[in-house]
Amino acid sequence: MIGTNGEGTFRNADTVFTKTVNVLSALFMGIAYWSGKRVDHHNWFVKRIYLLGYAFLYTIAGIIIYELCDYVLGFIENHYRMH
């Protein structure tokens, strides 16, 4: 699965275009592919520790994004309600 997802990214992203393509690919394919490639050169144990840290950070980021969206939508619903 990871080998197939890598077809949409550039290995050595050094220009704005290639970095933009990599970010868009990460958004559409998922950030897990990017995380896996970042820690691919470490040994098995260290790789698992790093991936656990990434999972923790992505969970916190997801909760923050969810709460932010919930707040904004609740604000819109309560203050711009049609009477």
Side-chain angles (χ1 to χ4, degrees), residues 13 15-25:
T15 65
V16 174
F17 173 74
T18 56
K19 290 180 182 182
T20 304
V21 170
N22 283 350
V23 168
L24 292 176
S25 296

Side-chain angles (χ1 to χ4, degrees), residues 68-83:
L68 183 65
C69 290
D70 187 47
Y71 175 77
V72 169
L73 292 175
F75 180 81
I76 292 170
E77 181 181 15
N78 292 329
H79 288 85
Y80 298 103
R81 189 175 287 170
M82 300 293 287
H83 296 284

Side-chain angles (χ1 to χ4, degrees), residues 4-78:
T4 306
N5 287 344
E7 294 173 357
T9 60
F10 292 100
R11 292 198 186 277
N12 298 323
D14 53 354
T15 65
V16 174
F17 173 74
T18 56
K19 290 180 182 182
T20 304
V21 170
N22 283 350
V23 168
L24 292 176
S25 296
L27 290 175
F28 289 120
M29 292 187 292
I31 203 75
Y33 170 76
W34 176 82
S35 300
K37 293 307 279 181
R38 292 266 309 183
V39 299
D40 200 25
H41 62 278
H42 293 289
N43 67 26
W44 185 88
F45 183 73
V46 174
K47 188 185 308 185
R48 298 306 183 251
I49 298 296
Y50 277 129
L51 290 177
L52 187 62
Y54 279 129
F56 178 74
L57 290 175
Y58 295 148
T59 302
I60 298 298
I63 291 170
I64 291 170
I65 290 170
Y66 172 80
E67 291 295 331
L68 183 65
C69 290
D70 187 47
Y71 175 77
V72 169
L73 292 175
F75 180 81
I76 292 170
E77 181 181 15
N78 292 329

